[in-house]
Amino acid sequence: MTSEQWSAAVRLLWGPPAKPARGPKRGLTLEGIALAGVGIADAEGLGGVSMQRVAAELAVTKMALYRYVPGKAELVALMVEAALPDPAGLAAAAAAGAASAGGGWREQLGVWARGLYEGFRAHPWLLEATVGARVMGPRELGWMERALAALDGCGLSGAEAMDSVVLVAGHVRGIAEQERAMAGGAGGAGGAGGAGGEGPDAQLVVMLGEVLRARGDEYPALAAVLGSVAEQGGQDQALLYGLERILDGLGLLVERRGR
């Protein structure tokens, strides 16, 4: 983002409800504009989003759209804010999870991670839109706040708490990126796999099956592991397995800080 785009995004995401810069047209809202962009991105990926395309979706001219949003960078910022679930709902789910499990920070971070994963599944283009230097809106900062609040009182330094959240988010993002690639790349919502809703492990079994049947003796460890995956119905547990191991390690650090 340029400094001008940065300032414009701050005004749109954090300022009072915007009015068009000029002209009599009053029929558009920032929410409606953002949701039109989200719909296009869900169907075609972020590359399908343009000011012209969103204007056509809203049955207005591109110049009319520019009265509300100065360009695509600011439009994408609004789309991210519109696509992310409300963190208030995340807080309620986390509290319920913690209460039912009789725990605290671990259950809350688990709910947070699974919620983030579901957000990426519903809107795969968020993986591309939420990287790099950019302005974050109230909802995105709310997500960060929920994760850091879960670690409050655990004895971690500020840097340790932030790095812990980044570590969890990175694991979720990595799994979601892999699933997006397996599902076909930059298109819309593909869920947790490709054809038939299979997870990445199951798809790997399919893709390597013929090779390993012919040359499995050269890769015995791989053949054994993928054979086990196939026997278990291809159930992919990479997200939860990795998350639990990260939380195990974080738990050891929290325990050490509490001594």
Side-chain angles (χ1 to χ4, degrees):
M1 276 189 172
T2 66
S3 58
E4 291 80 9
Q5 290 172 327
W6 189 280
S7 297
V10 169
R11 288 195 301 271
L12 290 171
L13 290 169
W14 292 96
K19 295 180 180 180
R22 58 189 181 276
K25 183 70 176 181
R26 301 281 177 174
L28 299 179
T29 65
L30 291 181
E31 180 182 13
I33 293 169
L35 290 177
V38 168
I40 295 170
D42 283 349
E44 302 176 26
L46 202 57
V49 177
S50 67
M51 297 292 283
Q52 180 69 53
R53 186 72 188 283
V54 171
E57 190 74 17
L58 294 169
V60 299
T61 66
K62 184 166 68 172
M63 291 308 299
L65 190 60
Y66 277 124
R67 295 173 186 152
Y68 292 81
V69 182
K72 182 174 177 178
E74 297 85 354
L75 172 61
V76 172
L78 290 172
M79 290 165 52
V80 169
E81 184 71 5
L84 286 172
D86 189 341
L90 180 72
S100 64
W105 66 266
R106 181 175 183 127
E107 288 70 28
Q108 292 180 57
L109 277 185
V111 170
W112 183 88
R114 291 189 292 274
L116 182 63
Y117 170 73
E118 291 301 332
F120 287 143
R121 287 189 67 191
H123 308 287
W125 55 270
L126 282 173
L127 291 161
E128 181 181 352
T130 55
V131 295
R134 60 201 167 77
V135 178
M136 297 183 186
R139 282 193 175 184
E140 190 169 5
L141 282 189
W143 273 75
M144 186 178 297
E145 171 69 17
R146 299 303 180 190
L148 291 171
L151 294 171
D152 189 29
C154 289
L156 304 182
S157 69
E160 288 171 337
M162 181 63 76
D163 286 346
S164 297
V165 172
V166 170
L167 179 61
V168 173
H171 170 64
V172 172
R173 179 180 289 273
I175 296 298
E177 286 277 16
Q178 182 183 16
E179 292 184 349
R180 183 192 190 197
M182 289 287 191
E198 296 174 333
D201 283 356
Q203 293 183 55
L204 193 60
V205 171
V206 173
M207 289 186 291
L208 295 180
E210 184 175 349
V211 172
L212 290 178
R213 279 192 294 272
R215 310 187 67 167
D217 57 330
E218 298 178 34
Y219 308 95
L222 179 60
V225 167
L226 294 185
S228 176
V229 170
E231 291 175 2
Q232 296 171 12
Q235 294 182 351
D236 194 316
Q237 300 297 322
L239 175 72
L240 296 181
Y241 179 84
L243 177 61
E244 289 300 311
R245 301 298 73 76
I246 291 171
L247 296 180
D248 286 344
L250 185 55
L252 292 175
L253 178 61
V254 170
E255 182 181 355
R256 187 185 310 160
R257 290 288 185 269
R259 292 174 183 170

